[in-house]
Amino acid sequence: MDATSRPLRVPPEMGIYAEKHELFQLLQNMLEGLLIHKPDEPIQYMISHLKQDNDHVPRICILGPPASGKTTIATWLCKQLDTPRITQETLLEETLELTKEVKAFQERGQKIPNALWANLIQERLSNVDCIKQGWILEGFPENRDQAWMLQSAGITPRHVVVLYAPDTVLIERNLGKRIDPSTKVLTYVQTWCRSAAPFTPRILFCGPPGSGKSLQAALIAQKYNIVNICCGQLLKEAVADKTKLGELIKPYFDSGWPVPDNIVLKLLADRLNRLDCMTDGWVLHGFPKDLDQAEQMERAGIIPNRIFFLNLPSESVMERLAQRMIDPVTGERYHAMYKPAPLPDVQARLKQNPKDTEENIRICLETYYRHAGDLEEFYEDAFYINADQDPYVVFEYIESCIVKPLPHKS
């Protein structure tokens, strides 16, 4: 075997170098550029590519239907990544060679060819800010032909983000848009839930501790201007206000014993029968916790017309709750995984709520699951949601179920 036929042996040092500097990715990007652009002088093209040193800058496409949040996400990403945001509207505001040609099509009321859009985007992305800082392209391409045109022009995004939302949510968002004719500023007019329901929302959230009932109730109450009723908070307020029922509840708080159901129901019925709850609707969480309480609620005339069970695995409950801590100085809440303390001295003084110990959480979980089956059977028309995901994804699903027409009274 002569020297020319020997297999190439790469020393370990070269493997470390390739991993450290991502040599493979660099060569792959260069090869893609050569295949797409097919330059007359490949060597000079590769030299220019290396001089740009921009293989790791953001190149992102944000796509989705109208009102899906493309502008919000793109604007936020641009701020975080210090990257130019490119849209069809911003392209027409640029002083580019092809801008006048695009505007001429618009003035004639003609559709702008996909090839012209692709060339205009290519011209914009060739500017030094996009080369050095990357780019975020919002709302383009809109179809396969436009995507093909971009690819043919050598525009290859590193990430493509596609946003989805239920049709009912998208329709509601679009109907709520308003524009100021003098300033051209687009705003959102918050309106009442567009439901064909013949009566007001009465929403009930059930689920294990840590499943996000309080957060979802707050989001729904804020957006749809309904009353947020937390049963535990209602009991605390009655004690703090020293009402007659509060005086009855205080001994149970002091001793740590549960408040009797008849007292809770009396307090709950009084609150839900007030004018704001009767006219605007309400969202309730923290009660009922078992079948007997649910039956008592029904006999008391407290009948929800939307019931949601937020399901969360026990492991996720433990992860969410057992690692929560509070700063006794500032009152700020922290989480060992999701929101760690910013400074060592803050970390040193954090305290855990006694109810967030693993033992107490297990007891609460066992109590919930002991009665969950009966509650699910009692509320046979309930919706079931995977709460082990982003809270705003959960919120959008809940919202889509609320804006649908509620069942007619029998």
Side-chain angles (χ1 to χ4, degrees):
M1 181 182 292
D2 58 26
T4 58
S5 62
R6 290 176 183 173
L8 177 64
R9 297 186 182 277
V10 180
E13 297 89 311
M14 287 300 295
I16 296 172
Y17 178 85
E19 180 180 356
K20 182 177 180 181
H21 297 277
E22 300 184 4
L23 181 60
F24 176 79
Q25 185 66 46
L26 175 65
L27 294 173
Q28 185 181 40
N29 293 337
M30 196 177 297
L31 179 59
E32 286 179 359
L34 288 170
L35 292 173
I36 292 171
H37 296 286
K38 299 178 181 177
D40 294 333
E41 298 183 10
I43 301 298
Q44 187 60 44
Y45 173 85
M46 288 189 287
I47 293 173
S48 300
H49 182 92
L50 290 171
K51 286 181 177 180
Q52 288 181 356
D53 189 26
N54 68 340
D55 282 322
H56 302 292
V57 298
R59 298 196 296 271
I60 305 170
C61 281
I62 307 288
L63 308 178
S68 59
K70 299 187 296 295
T71 299
T72 302
I73 298 297
T75 303
W76 183 83
L77 284 174
C78 288
K79 183 178 179 181
Q80 298 295 318
L81 302 174
D82 191 24
T83 301
R85 170 174 162 262
I86 313 297
T87 69
Q88 294 182 4
E89 291 76 16
T90 60
L91 286 171
L92 297 179
E93 297 171 0
E94 299 276 353
T95 55
L96 303 171
E97 293 183 7
L98 294 174
T99 302
K100 291 182 179 179
E101 189 176 345
V102 173
K103 288 183 177 179
F105 275 93
Q106 285 188 324
E107 291 170 359
R108 294 193 298 266
Q110 297 177 335
K111 182 181 178 182
I112 301 170
N114 291 335
L116 182 55
W117 272 124
N119 291 335
L120 183 62
I121 292 171
Q122 185 181 33
E123 184 182 353
R124 175 66 183 89
L125 299 187
S126 65
N127 287 356
V128 65
D129 59 340
C130 292
I131 292 174
K132 293 298 183 182
Q133 298 171 256
W135 45 265
I136 293 177
L137 183 58
E138 176 194 328
F140 198 93
E142 297 176 336
N143 51 52
R144 179 183 286 270
D145 289 339
Q146 291 179 353
W148 176 252
M149 289 291 178
L150 286 183
Q151 190 175 27
S152 301
I155 301 169
T156 54
R158 188 182 301 277
H159 298 97
V160 178
V161 180
V162 182
L163 305 177
Y164 293 96
D167 290 347
T168 49
V169 174
L170 297 176
I171 291 170
E172 186 201 358
R173 288 179 181 175
N174 273 310
L175 290 175
K177 288 180 179 179
R178 298 292 186 273
I179 192 166
D180 187 331
S182 59
T183 63
K184 305 298 182 184
V185 174
L186 181 68
T187 58
Y188 180 79
V189 179
Q190 187 162 317
T191 56
W192 180 252
C193 164
R194 292 169 180 83
S195 170
F199 43 89
T200 54
R202 300 189 298 275
I203 303 164
L204 174 64
F205 285 131
C206 300
S211 57
K213 300 185 292 297
S214 298
L215 173 60
Q216 298 303 329
L219 292 173
I220 289 294
Q222 181 182 22
K223 180 164 186 179
Y224 292 95
N225 196 32
I226 61 178
V227 184
N228 182 3
I229 305 294
C230 171
C231 191
Q233 187 63 31
L234 205 60
L235 295 171
K236 292 176 184 177
E237 289 174 359
V239 173
D241 294 341
K242 298 181 179 180
T243 63
K244 291 183 178 180
L245 284 175
E247 294 297 328
L248 294 175
I249 295 168
K250 190 175 185 304
Y252 294 97
F253 270 26
D254 294 340
S255 64
W257 287 94
V259 181
D261 292 347
N262 62 327
I263 298 178
V264 177
L265 276 168
K266 171 63 176 169
L267 187 65
L268 198 56
D270 288 348
R271 182 65 188 91
L272 297 181
N273 285 328
R274 291 184 193 174
L275 184 61
D276 56 350
C277 289
M278 297 292 288
T279 56
D280 298 334
W282 46 263
V283 53
L284 171 65
H285 51 108
F287 195 90
K289 296 181 178 179
D290 57 42
L291 178 59
D292 185 52
Q293 291 178 351
E295 291 174 342
Q296 290 184 59
M297 270 181 56
E298 188 174 75
R299 287 194 295 268
I302 305 173
I303 304 174
N305 51 31
R306 275 291 185 274
I307 302 99
F308 296 92
F309 281 89
L310 306 182
N311 294 325
L312 190 68
S314 300
E315 298 79 11
S316 298
V317 171
M318 197 66 68
E319 181 182 281
R320 289 187 182 184
L321 301 185
Q323 300 185 53
R324 294 192 303 191
M325 306 288 279
I326 189 168
D327 185 345
V329 176
T330 64
E332 184 74 18
R333 295 180 181 274
Y334 295 98
H335 191 280
M337 183 178 298
Y338 304 122
K339 188 185 175 183
L343 298 171
D345 57 334
V346 176
Q347 175 67 39
R349 67 175 181 243
L350 294 183
K351 302 293 183 183
Q352 185 183 46
N353 191 316
K355 69 178 184 179
D356 288 340
T357 62
E358 291 190 8
E359 182 181 356
N360 285 339
I361 294 170
R362 288 194 184 92
I363 293 172
C364 291
L365 283 173
E366 289 173 3
T367 302
Y368 171 77
Y369 287 117
R370 192 184 311 130
H371 302 289
D374 292 335
L375 281 174
E376 291 173 3
E377 187 176 344
F378 183 79
Y379 293 120
E380 56 185 3
D381 295 327
F383 296 92
Y384 295 88
I385 301 173
N386 173 21
D388 195 15
Q389 52 186 329
D390 186 274
Y392 290 95
V393 174
V394 176
F395 171 72
E396 286 196 344
Y397 179 79
I398 291 171
E399 188 179 33
S400 70
C401 296
I402 290 173
V403 298
K404 293 176 183 177
L406 298 175
H408 288 277
K409 292 180 179 178
S410 55

